[in-house]
Amino acid sequence: EAEVAQSPRYKITEKSQAVAFWCDPISGHATLYWYRQILGQGPELLVQFQDESVVDDSQLPKDRFSAERLKGVDSTLKIQPAELGDSAMYLCASSQAGNSREQYFGPGTRLTVT
Amino acid sequence: SQQGEEDPQALSIQEGENATMNCSYKTSINNLQWYRQNSGRGLVHLILIRSNEREKHSGRLRVTLDTSKKSSSLLITASRAADTASYFCATDASDSNYQLIWGAGTKLIIKP
């Protein structure tokens, strides 16, 4: 069964350092989402792509976060510089176009900023 | 912003009992979805119910939707230890641009 791939699974970094996360969605899924999830809370959307275009990045802290999906397939989320408050789970999800809008999630990257 | 609110925040029951979780939301929706998240992992889609549906079943899961009350419930029958997880409702609002709005989740613990 096709899955969303994410790497790394875990990342520990010091504050002020740069960090990057990678996501490869299910083949053929045009829509890709990056979420941040703090322990005990639901996912919070950071950015949504349709193919290579950003549909919504209104919740992305653009002074330090950036995201790209250059060829409309895999995607990278970057944080520079990382802050203590960025410690969280970063989840990538993808979905097909169409009415169901069911999202398929990767295993996530657990980020700890020290 | 979070539209859905799950109730209760945490639920602990004995294996074999039924577990019921509730979700309330605020705006008109196209559909409502339930997801499960095992500790420290990604989310897994469980079931989707459309706004014109009132009840849906999938295996041991039963979901109801009351659009007049803007609420949904998820029933897990004959619970198993493997059902221990957090459960989230997510709404696809009518003007959402394919986005889901998530609740804070219910943490379910099944005691053996």
Side-chain angles (χ1 to χ4, degrees):
Chain A
E1 184 175 311
E3 296 181 341
V4 176
Q6 285 189 252
S7 67
R9 291 292 308 279
Y10 304 93
K11 180 70 178 178
I12 300 174
T13 191
E14 294 182 348
K15 63 179 182 179
S16 81
Q17 296 299 303
V19 63
F21 313 129
W22 176 79
C23 172
D24 191 11
I26 293 173
S27 178
H29 281 195
T31 309
L32 184 147
Y33 310 82
W34 282 103
Y35 290 95
R36 177 171 58 191
Q37 185 181 27
I38 295 169
L39 192 63
Q41 298 183 17
E44 173 195 16
L45 180 68
L46 292 175
V47 61
Q48 177 187 349
F49 289 93
Q50 181 70 25
D51 299 311
E52 67 275 9
S53 300
V54 173
V55 172
D56 186 349
D57 63 358
S58 58
Q59 300 302 310
L60 189 71
K62 297 183 189 63
D63 56 336
R64 297 184 301 108
F65 286 64
S66 64
E68 60 183 16
R69 193 184 184 198
L70 292 176
K71 297 183 179 179
V73 180
D74 60 338
S75 176
T76 302
L77 178 70
K78 297 179 181 177
I79 308 175
Q80 182 174 18
E83 296 181 351
L84 295 177
D86 296 332
S87 293
M89 175 77 89
Y90 290 83
L91 296 164
C92 178
S94 68
S95 67
Q96 291 179 312
N99 290 331
S100 77
R101 307 183 190 184
E102 170 186 338
Q103 296 184 13
Y104 295 81
F105 282 80
T109 296
R110 170 71 66 186
L111 173 68
T112 302
V113 182
T114 62
Chain B
S1 63
Q2 296 194 324
Q3 151 149 266
E5 293 185 6
E6 283 92 340
D7 169 52
Q9 290 185 329
L11 179 61
S12 180
I13 61 173
Q14 291 293 139
E15 192 168 20
E17 294 180 340
N18 295 340
T20 299
M21 289 158 273
N22 301 297
C23 169
S24 60
Y25 58 92
K26 298 175 184 175
T27 65
S28 296
I29 61 172
N30 292 318
N31 64 65
L32 184 145
Q33 304 178 33
W34 285 91
Y35 287 77
R36 181 187 72 226
Q37 185 177 35
N38 292 90
S39 180
R41 304 296 298 274
L43 289 90
V44 175
H45 181 267
L46 294 177
I47 196 166
L48 179 152
I49 187 165
R50 301 190 190 283
S51 60
N52 62 352
E53 297 176 312
R54 292 296 166 259
E55 186 170 314
K56 202 161 184 180
H57 297 253
S58 177
R60 294 183 296 112
L61 306 181
R62 186 184 82 139
V63 169
T64 62
L65 179 65
D66 186 336
T67 53
S68 67
K69 295 181 179 178
K70 291 187 169 57
S71 67
S72 173
S73 67
L74 171 67
L75 168 68
I76 304 174
T77 60
S79 63
R80 306 169 181 168
D83 295 328
T84 294
S86 291
Y87 292 82
F88 294 88
C89 70
T91 52
D92 179 355
S94 300
D95 60 350
S96 70
N97 202 15
Y98 296 93
Q99 292 179 11
L100 296 178
I101 306 299
W102 298 81
T106 291
K107 187 174 178 61
L108 175 65
I109 296 173
I110 308 299
K111 296 179 286 187

